[in-house]
Amino acid sequence: MAGRKWQQSVTLLAEALLFHQLLIGFVFIGGVGASSLSASQVKPVSDANWTLILEGEWMLKFYAPWCPACQQIQSEWEDFAKESKALGITVAKVDVTQEPGLSGRFMVTTLPTIFHAKDGSFRRYLASRSVEDLQSYISERKWEAVDPLPKWKSPSSVPMTAMAGLFRLSVWIRHVHMYLTEKLHIPVWGSYAIFAFATLLTGLFFGLILVLIADCLCPSKPQSKDTKTEVYLKNLSSDDEPGNFSDDTKLSEMDNEQEDQASGEDMGSDEASGTEGQEDEDELHRNSYDDIAASGVRKRKQQDLGENDDNDD
């Protein structure tokens, strides 16, 4: 009899333990289901679907799982999401640790950050984060008193798109650095050297591209003949000793003197002797050119003879 009673008591105890475990399981599953149902009303936004907020009315929260302030308003945000259908809006959230591109696109610098979006017009929400204040912000249209973001800071603008690309690039560089140091066991300084070399090559490549584009758009203008002649005469004069002039310079000076004399003679000459005076003037020009050329040749020969004598000494 005692053994039978002991067996019955053990059976009852086992049944009670089994019932207790089943009850705990049902409570746990119900709690998980309720929380998942509540969380499902907050729409997650990522790089793949962020363009949805350009249409309709949204309240968007940027958060991070490690942020204490974000954890404090998590329950309020979920309660606010439960009233989203009645308010005619969509309540969403962005995890900045998983979506760095969106944090750059919206220029998020503090957490949590809340934005109100209405048909592509964005306003930052800076009021209280309680459920009542969030609801009144929508129902009383308090957002109309807030200035929207300028066009260049709009998430869909070109500058903010470039900023999102930079944020994604920074995350990619961090992943590559971790791969080099943790997987390939490259020293940290070696990883930095690789990135510095890659940065240098990238800068040289883009610099070359910019130079080619600039040459195609704004080609350099060729110098005129007069400018080339002036540069040539300056080079010749710099080669000569101070106080002396080159033969070409003397020829130009003599030519100018002869032109001045010819102009003076033309003004003082009589109309009857015009043809005969012109012939004499041309003959004078030819003789002066011959004299200057001969003197230049003689000077060159004397300089060459002097250089040869110096070399012989």
Side-chain angles (χ1 to χ4, degrees):
M1 291 292 293
R4 185 177 298 176
K5 289 182 179 180
W6 181 82
Q7 186 177 4
Q8 291 178 354
S9 62
V10 170
T11 304
L12 292 174
L13 180 61
E15 292 177 353
L17 289 174
L18 179 61
F19 176 79
H20 182 68
Q21 290 178 354
L22 290 175
L23 181 62
I24 292 175
F26 282 122
V27 171
F28 177 77
I29 293 174
V32 171
S35 63
S36 63
L37 181 62
S38 175
S40 64
Q41 298 184 16
V42 179
K43 186 177 182 63
V45 177
S46 63
D47 276 327
N49 64 348
W50 79 271
T51 53
L52 295 175
I53 63 179
L54 298 177
E55 297 179 358
E57 190 171 5
W58 294 67
M59 287 292 285
L60 183 65
K61 179 187 73 170
F62 288 84
Y63 75 100
W66 47 262
C67 174
C70 301
Q71 296 172 2
Q72 290 178 0
I73 68 168
Q74 181 177 358
S75 59
E76 285 82 359
W77 194 253
E78 291 177 355
D79 293 338
F80 176 55
K82 294 177 182 178
E83 305 296 330
S84 59
K85 291 184 179 180
L87 296 172
I89 64 171
T90 303
V91 179
K93 62 181 180 179
V94 177
D95 185 356
V96 296
T97 61
Q98 300 296 325
E99 304 296 337
L102 284 180
S103 63
R105 187 181 292 276
F106 283 83
M107 290 294 292
V108 176
T109 56
T110 58
L111 293 175
T113 298
I114 299 175
F115 283 96
H116 172 265
K118 176 69 173 177
D119 296 329
S121 179
F122 294 87
R123 295 170 174 84
R124 186 168 178 177
Y125 179 81
L126 299 174
S128 174
R129 295 164 183 162
S130 63
V131 178
E132 293 78 10
D133 291 332
L134 289 170
Q135 291 177 352
S136 64
Y137 186 80
I138 300 299
S139 60
E140 299 177 10
R141 302 178 68 89
K142 293 181 180 180
W143 51 268
E144 293 181 348
V146 181
D147 293 332
L149 296 178
K151 290 185 178 180
W152 70 271
K153 290 186 69 175
S154 176
S156 58
S157 65
V158 175
M160 293 300 102
T161 302
M163 186 64 66
L166 288 177
F167 272 63
R168 285 193 293 266
L169 178 62
S170 65
V171 174
W172 178 81
I173 290 175
R174 184 181 64 184
H175 290 331
V176 172
H177 174 71
M178 294 176 61
Y179 175 79
L180 293 176
T181 55
E182 296 179 2
K183 299 293 184 180
L184 302 181
H185 302 290
I186 296 176
V188 176
W189 64 265
S191 176
Y192 290 159
I194 292 173
F195 281 113
F197 184 70
T199 303
L200 180 62
L201 290 181
T202 304
L204 291 175
F205 174 75
F206 283 109
L208 178 61
I209 296 298
L210 290 176
V211 169
L212 293 176
I213 293 174
D215 288 339
C216 293
L217 297 177
C218 302
S220 58
K221 296 181 179 180
Q223 295 182 348
S224 61
K225 293 183 179 179
D226 296 338
T227 306
K228 291 182 178 180
T229 304
E230 292 176 1
V231 173
Y232 177 73
L233 292 175
K234 288 181 180 179
N235 292 333
L236 289 178
S237 62
S238 62
D239 293 338
D240 294 335
E241 295 181 357
N244 296 331
F245 298 95
S246 62
D247 295 336
D248 294 335
T249 307
K250 289 182 178 181
L251 287 172
S252 62
E253 290 179 354
M254 291 298 296
D255 190 14
N256 293 332
E257 291 178 359
Q258 294 298 331
E259 287 180 356
D260 294 337
Q261 293 177 1
S263 62
E265 290 176 359
D266 289 339
M267 291 177 64
S269 63
D270 198 22
E271 294 181 356
S273 59
T275 305
E276 190 174 333
Q278 184 66 33
E279 293 177 356
D280 295 337
E281 186 181 339
D282 294 339
E283 185 66 25
L284 181 61
H285 274 285
R286 285 192 294 271
N287 293 333
S288 62
Y289 281 122
D290 294 337
D291 293 339
I292 293 171
S295 64
V297 171
R298 284 196 298 271
K299 280 192 174 184
R300 292 291 183 185
K301 287 181 178 181
Q302 290 175 1
Q303 291 178 357
D304 294 339
L305 290 174
E307 291 177 359
N308 292 330
D309 292 339
D310 294 336
N311 293 329
D312 293 338
D313 292 339

